[in-house]
Coordinates of all heavy atoms in Angstrom, one line a residue:
Y176 N -0.1 16.8 5.2 CA 1.1 17.7 5.3 C 1.3 18.1 6.8 O 2.4 18.1 7.4 CB 0.9 19.0 4.5 CG 1.4 18.9 3.1 CD1 0.6 19.1 2.1 CD2 2.7 18.6 2.9 CE1 1.0 19.0 0.7 CE2 3.2 18.4 1.5 CZ 2.4 18.7 0.5 OH 2.8 18.6 -0.8
I177 N 0.2 18.3 7.5 CA 0.2 18.6 8.9 C 0.8 17.5 9.7 O 1.7 17.7 10.6 CB -1.2 19.0 9.5 CG1 -1.6 20.4 8.8 CG2 -1.1 19.2 11.0 CD1 -3.1 20.7 9.1
C178 N 0.3 16.3 9.5 CA 0.7 15.1 10.3 C 2.2 14.9 9.9 O 2.9 14.5 10.8 CB -0.1 13.9 9.9 SG -1.8 13.9 10.6
S179 N 2.5 15.0 8.7 CA 3.9 14.7 8.3 C 4.9 15.8 8.9 O 6.0 15.4 9.3 CB 4.1 14.7 6.8 OG 3.4 13.7 6.1
A180 N 4.5 17.0 9.0 CA 5.3 18.1 9.6 C 5.5 17.8 11.1 O 6.7 17.9 11.6 CB 4.6 19.4 9.4
V181 N 4.5 17.4 11.8 CA 4.6 17.1 13.2 C 5.5 15.9 13.4 O 6.3 15.8 14.3 CB 3.2 16.9 13.9 CG1 3.3 16.5 15.4 CG2 2.4 18.2 13.7
T182 N 5.3 14.9 12.5 CA 6.1 13.7 12.6 C 7.6 14.0 12.4 O 8.5 13.5 13.1 CB 5.7 12.6 11.5 OG1 4.2 12.3 11.7 CG2 6.5 11.4 11.7
D183 N 7.8 14.8 11.4 CA 9.3 15.2 11.2 C 9.9 15.9 12.4 O 11.0 15.7 12.7 CB 9.3 16.1 10.0 CG 9.0 15.4 8.7 OD1 9.1 14.2 8.7 OD2 8.7 16.1 7.7
I184 N 9.1 16.8 13.0 CA 9.6 17.5 14.2 C 9.9 16.4 15.3 O 10.9 16.5 16.0 CB 8.5 18.5 14.8 CG1 8.5 19.6 13.7 CG2 9.0 19.0 16.1 CD1 7.3 20.5 14.0
V185 N 9.0 15.5 15.5 CA 9.2 14.4 16.6 C 10.4 13.6 16.3 O 11.2 13.3 17.2 CB 7.9 13.5 16.6 CG1 8.2 12.3 17.5 CG2 6.7 14.3 17.1
V186 N 10.5 13.1 15.0 CA 11.6 12.4 14.6 C 13.0 13.1 14.7 O 14.0 12.5 15.1 CB 11.4 11.8 13.2 CG1 12.7 11.1 12.6 CG2 10.2 10.8 13.1
T187 N 13.0 14.3 14.4 CA 14.2 15.1 14.5 C 14.8 15.1 15.9 O 16.1 15.0 16.1 CB 14.0 16.6 14.1 OG1 13.5 16.6 12.7 CG2 15.2 17.4 14.2
F188 N 14.0 15.2 16.9 CA 14.4 15.3 18.3 C 14.6 13.9 18.9 O 15.0 13.7 20.0 CB 13.5 16.1 19.2 CG 13.7 17.5 18.8 CD1 12.7 18.2 18.0 CD2 14.7 18.3 19.2 CE1 12.8 19.5 17.6 CE2 14.8 19.7 18.9 CZ 13.9 20.3 18.1
A189 N 14.2 12.8 18.1 CA 14.2 11.4 18.7 C 15.6 10.9 18.7 O 16.0 10.0 19.6 CB 13.4 10.5 17.9
Q190 N 16.5 11.3 17.9 CA 17.9 10.9 17.8 C 18.0 9.3 17.7 O 18.7 8.7 18.4 CB 18.7 11.3 19.1 CG 18.7 12.9 19.2 CD 19.5 13.6 18.1 OE1 20.4 13.0 17.5 NE2 19.0 14.7 17.7
D191 N 17.2 8.8 16.8 CA 17.2 7.3 16.6 C 17.3 7.1 15.1 O 16.3 7.5 14.3 CB 16.0 6.7 17.2 CG 16.0 5.2 17.1 OD1 16.6 4.6 18.0 OD2 15.4 4.7 16.1
F192 N 18.3 6.4 14.7 CA 18.6 6.2 13.2 C 17.4 5.4 12.6 O 17.0 5.6 11.5 CB 19.9 5.5 13.1 CG 20.2 5.2 11.5 CD1 20.5 6.1 10.6 CD2 20.1 3.8 11.1 CE1 20.7 5.8 9.3 CE2 20.3 3.5 9.8 CZ 20.6 4.5 9.0
N193 N 17.0 4.3 13.3 CA 15.9 3.4 12.7 C 14.7 4.2 12.6 O 13.9 4.0 11.6 CB 15.8 2.2 13.6 CG 16.9 1.2 13.6 OD1 17.6 1.1 12.6 ND2 17.3 0.6 14.7
L194 N 14.4 5.1 13.5 CA 13.1 5.8 13.4 C 13.2 6.8 12.2 O 12.2 7.0 11.5 CB 12.9 6.6 14.7 CG 11.6 7.4 14.8 CD1 10.4 6.5 14.6 CD2 11.5 8.1 16.2
H195 N 14.4 7.4 12.0 CA 14.6 8.3 10.9 C 14.4 7.6 9.6 O 13.7 8.0 8.6 CB 16.0 8.9 10.9 CG 16.1 10.1 11.9 ND1 16.0 11.3 11.5 CD2 16.3 10.1 13.2 CE1 16.2 12.2 12.6 NE2 16.4 11.4 13.6
K196 N 15.0 6.4 9.5 CA 14.9 5.6 8.2 C 13.4 5.1 8.0 O 12.9 5.2 6.9 CB 15.7 4.4 8.4 CG 16.0 3.6 7.1 CD 17.1 2.6 7.2 CE 17.5 2.0 5.9 NZ 18.6 1.0 6.1
W197 N 12.7 4.7 9.1 CA 11.3 4.3 8.9 C 10.5 5.5 8.4 O 9.6 5.3 7.7 CB 10.8 3.8 10.3 CG 9.4 3.6 10.3 CD1 8.6 2.6 9.9 CD2 8.4 4.6 10.8 NE1 7.3 2.8 10.1 CE2 7.2 4.0 10.7 CE3 8.5 5.9 11.3 CZ2 6.0 4.7 11.0 CZ3 7.4 6.6 11.7 CH2 6.1 6.0 11.5
S198 N 10.7 6.7 9.0 CA 9.9 7.8 8.6 C 10.0 8.3 7.1 O 9.1 8.9 6.7 CB 10.2 9.0 9.6 OG 11.5 9.5 9.2
M199 N 11.1 7.8 6.5 CA 11.2 8.1 5.1 C 10.6 7.0 4.2 O 10.4 7.2 3.0 CB 12.7 8.2 4.8 CG 13.4 9.4 5.5 SD 12.6 11.1 5.1 CE 13.2 11.1 3.4
G200 N 10.3 5.9 4.8 CA 9.7 4.8 4.1 C 10.8 3.7 3.7 O 11.7 4.1 2.9
S201 N 10.7 2.6 4.2 CA 11.7 1.6 4.1 C 11.2 0.2 4.4 O 10.5 0.0 5.4 CB 13.0 1.9 4.8 OG 13.9 0.8 4.7

Side-chain angles (χ1 to χ4, degrees):
Y176 274 120
I177 294 171
C178 290
S179 294
V181 176
T182 304
D183 290 342
I184 294 172
V185 171
V186 170
T187 298
F188 290 99
Q190 299 298 324
D191 184 85
F192 175 76
N193 291 327
L194 184 56
H195 280 263
K196 196 170 185 179
W197 167 86
S198 69
M199 299 299 292
S201 175

